[in-house]
Amino acid sequence: MAAVFTCCLACCGDGGAGHAPLKEMPTVHLDTHHMGTDVVIVKSGRRICGTGACLANAPLHQNKSYFEFKIQSTGVWGIGVATQKVNLNQVPLGRDSHSLVLRHDGSIYHNNEEKNRLPANSLPQEGDIVGVTYDHVEMNLYLNGKNMHCPASGIRGTVFPIVYVDDSAIIDAQFSDFYHTPPEGFEKILFEQQIF
């Protein structure tokens, strides 16, 4: 019995000679190093509250990315994509060239210009899931799994998922284990080393 235990310890327990430890793959979450000063991030980097914006910790390098946000509590909020140059303390976003966002009123803004708008009867409410696709050209939105057919484009450079809140809004970010199946060809955000 001692020989079996020694063999198991040598082969598995301490990493034995010639064995490389498995490297855990990073997970995508809201990045506490890239958030506004009055933002609070809880639930292991999945929930935002307070006032301001927060970027995710992974850029959208792959061709077709998908992620979701759940409206836990209404208020002033926005979701979309942004570069790291965006001002995380200034809400609403979409006022400059560094963000492209859906605002709580259904408008989609980039560079202080309304790029598109959700249908009037499709404004996200408390409990709704807003899906976002991005393919390096345009952002598309899905409400509870249904395509809203309101594409928007114009942002340039390396972008990250972004969310902002104000006026008691609470939003949960979902970067995997989605509520709804991503549209065909789109998948969860991959870190660059996962793509190659």
Side-chain angles (χ1 to χ4, degrees), residues 58-129:
L60 303 180
H61 284 302
Q62 74 216 56
N63 289 337
K64 295 184 174 188
S65 305
Y66 178 79
F67 47 98
E68 295 175 334
F69 293 98
K70 183 174 185 178
I71 314 301
Q72 293 291 0
S73 181
T74 57
V76 173
W77 56 266
I79 59 174
V81 294
T83 69
Q84 286 187 324
K85 293 180 179 179
V86 68
N87 182 343
L88 299 170
N89 292 304
Q90 181 182 27
V91 297
L93 295 181
R95 296 181 192 182
D96 59 28
S97 63
H98 304 299
S99 60
L100 172 63
V101 295
L102 165 68
R103 294 178 176 176
H104 69 282
D105 65 359
S107 61
I108 303 167
Y109 265 82
H110 171 67
N111 211 13
N112 212 29
E113 178 184 339
E114 186 172 314
K115 294 293 193 172
N116 212 329
R117 180 172 281 280
L118 292 178
N121 61 347
S122 297
L123 295 181
Q125 304 296 316
E126 197 167 294
D128 283 344
I129 309 297

Side-chain angles (χ1 to χ4, degrees), residues 152-165:
S153 60
I155 194 163
R156 303 260 188 265
T158 301
V159 299
F160 296 73
I162 193 160
V163 56
Y164 71 81
V165 292

